[in-house]
Amino acid sequence: MAGRGAAARVAARVGQGARTAGKRRRLLGPEAVLGLLEASVVHREGRSGELSLTALLPALRRRLGLPAELHVVKAPARECSGLVLLSSCHRATERLQRSFTAARRRGQFPATYSAVTVGIPAEAEGEIQAGLCWQQKGDTAVVVAVPSPGRRSLARGEVKNTQTRYRLLGAAGGCALLQLQPRTSFPEQLQVHLTLLLCPALGDHRHASRVGTVLGEPFLLPPQETPTSHTQVLDAELMSRLQLSPQHRLPLHLHLQQLVLPHTVLCAPPPPHFLHTLSLLGLPPPPLPVH
């Protein structure tokens, strides 16, 4: 970790899209978001932090009294909630990013996510491995799995081998609470891996349509046969259990809960909408992982 002469490190937790939770969610204005971020600092040593709302970083820096500009070290994807790690020291950022890479190469898992899924995996724990690549579908580029990637496509970087370890933490009402630990990093990796597990994340409106059902049994649709639905389709029983109207669009229930740094472990509990869903399903909140 950097000494007193270096900028500080700050870790903040932010909910998805900086929105309030509950049955009626409303967008927060810039001042409210800044207040949320300032109040969400869970670890501070010297000076540094993290966030994906880059437009608000200069104002956040001023509020925290940091001498240098903030930039993102590690953050969940835009649709996810969870820890945001910021830094105002480029050398410290590079050291942290190298430590994440080195940990994965050693077979360790510096990041831990929690996910609510539609479906329960057949095995209580295991690993998901798949080649992933970008594929053009109409006017949109989407991430798809490649069952048996060739050496040439891997060497050219067209396909990347990816791996995620998962563990079942609880199940109820046809849904599950999973712990996810990615060993590799690729856009939308966790969402695609959960789809391959036939347990898409709740609120995944992009990939969940690849999982179909026949006589109650899930199966994976080929990419070319995937419906172009923009809202995840849930059965009537689950809609009722979650107290949803047909027009309701759920946020993605995928939360970056823990980051292991060289000299500390940062944890953030799930946001209110995630905990509310767990309560409606009768599932306990995920335990804070022990490293």
Side-chain angles (χ1 to χ4, degrees):
M1 301 291 284
R4 293 181 60 186
R9 295 188 233 324
V10 176
R13 63 177 182 269
V14 291
Q16 152 156 352
R19 299 182 179 203
T20 56
K23 294 182 181 178
R24 295 182 180 178
R25 290 153 53 97
R26 59 183 179 83
L27 288 172
L28 299 179
E31 284 300 314
V33 172
L34 284 170
L36 172 64
L37 294 172
E38 185 180 22
S40 296
V41 173
V42 296
H43 177 76
R44 181 168 179 165
E45 181 177 303
R47 289 180 180 179
S48 179
E50 186 207 287
L51 220 185
S52 60
L53 302 177
T54 53
L56 295 176
L57 292 185
L60 179 62
R61 175 186 65 82
R62 291 192 295 271
R63 285 204 177 192
L64 295 176
L66 303 179
E69 301 248 345
L70 286 169
H71 53 272
V72 175
V73 180
K74 181 74 175 176
R78 180 173 56 88
E79 298 87 357
C80 304
S81 60
L83 279 165
V84 175
L85 183 63
L86 302 173
S87 173
S88 56
C89 174
H90 286 283
R91 284 185 296 179
T93 297
E94 291 171 358
R95 287 198 298 270
L96 286 170
Q97 290 174 340
R98 285 197 299 267
S99 74
F100 292 147
T101 301
R104 294 190 187 100
R105 288 175 178 170
R106 293 192 299 267
Q108 299 172 339
F109 300 86
T112 298
Y113 289 76
S114 295
V116 178
T117 64
V118 181
I120 303 167
E123 303 292 335
E125 58 183 273
E127 289 189 350
I128 310 160
Q129 299 185 34
L132 297 182
C133 73
W134 287 100
Q135 185 179 94
Q136 199 68 27
K137 189 175 182 182
D139 297 330
T140 306
V142 296
V143 178
V144 298
V146 181
S148 301
R151 292 183 181 179
R152 291 184 179 179
S153 60
L154 291 169
R156 290 193 297 262
E158 297 170 354
V159 180
K160 180 177 179 179
N161 280 324
T162 59
Q163 178 183 357
T164 300
R165 183 168 67 180
Y166 76 89
R167 184 163 67 95
L168 179 66
L169 300 178
C175 293
L177 173 64
L178 299 184
Q179 179 190 87
L180 304 172
Q181 294 180 307
R183 188 173 178 181
T184 53
S185 178
F186 195 90
E188 303 176 22
Q189 173 179 319
L190 295 180
Q191 294 96 306
V192 176
H193 281 188
L194 288 173
T195 299
L196 297 177
L197 198 62
L198 301 180
C199 300
L202 184 65
D204 182 356
H205 306 290
R206 183 186 297 268
H207 300 283
S209 57
R210 282 211 60 197
V211 179
T213 56
V214 173
L215 300 177
E217 294 297 320
F219 70 97
L220 195 66
L221 288 166
Q224 60 271 20
E225 296 181 18
T226 302
T228 56
S229 172
H230 298 291
T231 301
Q232 184 178 27
V233 178
L234 305 175
D235 63 41
E237 183 178 348
L238 182 55
M239 292 278 288
S240 174
R241 192 162 191 170
L242 295 178
Q243 302 175 3
L244 300 176
S245 67
Q247 295 78 27
H248 194 101
R249 184 180 172 92
L250 278 172
L252 180 63
H253 285 58
L254 185 57
H255 176 74
L256 176 54
Q257 184 164 329
Q258 175 181 276
L259 279 176
V260 179
L261 304 186
H263 300 291
T264 190
V265 177
L266 303 177
C267 297
H273 76 265
F274 194 112
L275 296 174
H276 182 63
T277 295
L278 292 179
S279 176
L280 292 175
L281 291 172
L283 290 169
L288 291 178
V290 178
H291 179 68

